[in-house]
Amino acid sequence: MFKMFPPTFLVVPVAWLTVLVLAGLDAITPALSGLGIMPKVTWAILVVQSIITLAIVTPFWRVIWRWCPKLNEWVFPDLNGEWDVVGDTNWNRIDALLKAAKGDAALIDMRTGSEDALPPLGKFQMRARISQSWLDIEMELWNPQGAGPIQESTTLVVEPIRGNRGRHALAYIFEQVNQTDVVSDDAKFRGAVWVTRDRDDPNALCGRMWSDRMWRRGMNTAADLRFTRFVVQKGGG
């Protein structure tokens, strides 16, 4: 989260907080003196450090975000939680074109510009867990049902991207391992993802994935992705 702010934005609030704490201590000094307590400058430092620690190092910032939901647009959204990930991959079409080129299937006429002759996009489903703090953001992805070829997907780098008008994004690089019996296929490959916060649904991220799978043969894969956060309903009934 700290990446979303310029350095001056981080320094100025600390400076003003220090001034306000010192002014507050100065205002209550007569009352404390009557009790035999003499405030010191070190008190102000301790108070400021405690407030910063509470707001930044601890998850208290999430409480502030819930108090003021507009911070999800003005700064960056709180993405913590588990997400259902649905993808539409072009692998079926790559496979069909490969078979057509080998003569194993009728050659698809690509000059028409129509997708009617191509097989539908293949679907896959995964689960993601995003762990976000003020200082870091991490993501785990796994195949909960074990359906399909995806065996393991490891997220290597996750980067939050601040956008205009609340269109914030998340970019990450992953390494995926597939269960495959095809010798010519790549069992392990890397890829990248760019997903953007949905305008209408704050609990959805939409974007695209692309990989270097079978890139030597010009068969790089890509997919449309949609992340939907599992929202815990309050109350019963």
Side-chain angles (χ1 to χ4, degrees):
M1 295 290 289
F2 74 94
K3 296 180 181 179
M4 302 297 106
F5 299 98
T8 53
F9 189 92
L10 296 173
V11 172
V12 171
V14 174
W16 275 108
L17 180 61
T18 304
V19 171
L20 291 174
V21 171
L22 287 172
L25 287 175
D26 184 66
I28 64 174
T29 293
L32 294 177
S33 299
L35 299 174
I37 302 174
M38 294 300 296
K40 299 180 181 179
V41 176
T42 53
W43 287 27
I45 297 175
L46 179 61
V47 171
V48 172
Q49 288 180 340
S50 300
I51 294 174
I52 293 174
T53 301
L54 180 64
I56 296 179
V57 178
T58 71
F60 184 71
W61 68 272
R62 299 187 62 193
V63 177
I64 300 175
W65 256 240
R66 285 196 292 269
W67 287 345
C68 184
K70 275 295 183 180
L71 290 172
N72 289 282
E73 299 179 13
W74 296 339
V75 183
F76 195 80
D78 179 2
L79 301 178
N80 280 285
E82 288 198 6
W83 301 71
D84 181 51
V85 184
V86 177
D88 294 306
T89 174
N90 66 345
W91 175 248
N92 289 353
R93 296 181 175 182
I94 291 176
D95 188 50
L97 292 171
L98 177 61
K99 291 178 180 178
K102 290 181 177 180
D104 297 335
L107 183 62
I108 299 172
D109 187 359
M110 299 298 293
R111 294 173 296 178
T112 62
S114 174
E115 296 184 356
D116 295 340
L118 293 171
L121 294 171
K123 287 190 176 293
F124 65 88
Q125 190 169 6
M126 298 188 69
R127 184 74 60 84
R129 181 183 294 110
I130 299 178
S131 302
Q132 177 185 356
S133 69
W134 192 267
L135 304 175
D136 195 16
I137 182 168
E138 297 179 352
M139 179 187 293
E140 302 175 58
L141 282 121
W142 69 95
N143 189 348
Q145 299 176 348
I150 301 175
Q151 180 178 353
E152 180 182 356
S153 182
T154 304
T155 304
L156 305 177
V157 178
V158 185
E159 189 74 14
I161 309 296
R162 188 178 183 185
N164 296 326
R165 299 179 181 178
R167 294 287 287 171
H168 306 298
L170 200 66
Y172 67 88
I173 297 174
F174 66 91
E175 184 175 77
Q176 184 169 313
V177 178
N178 281 3
Q179 292 179 336
T180 177
D181 296 328
V182 181
V183 177
S184 59
D185 193 3
D186 292 336
K188 179 185 290 188
F189 54 89
R190 290 184 177 181
V193 172
W194 180 285
V195 287
T196 306
R197 188 168 183 253
D198 192 287
R199 289 186 182 275
D200 301 320
D201 187 354
N203 292 304
L205 303 169
C206 301
R208 184 161 295 167
M209 173 276 290
W210 55 96
S211 75
D212 63 358
R213 182 180 181 183
M214 300 183 71
W215 68 271
R216 294 178 180 83
R217 305 177 67 186
M219 298 169 62
N220 307 60
T221 54
D224 282 331
L225 295 178
R226 182 176 180 84
F227 286 62
T228 305
R229 178 156 43 189
F230 292 96
V231 180
V232 178
Q233 300 294 334
K234 296 182 179 180

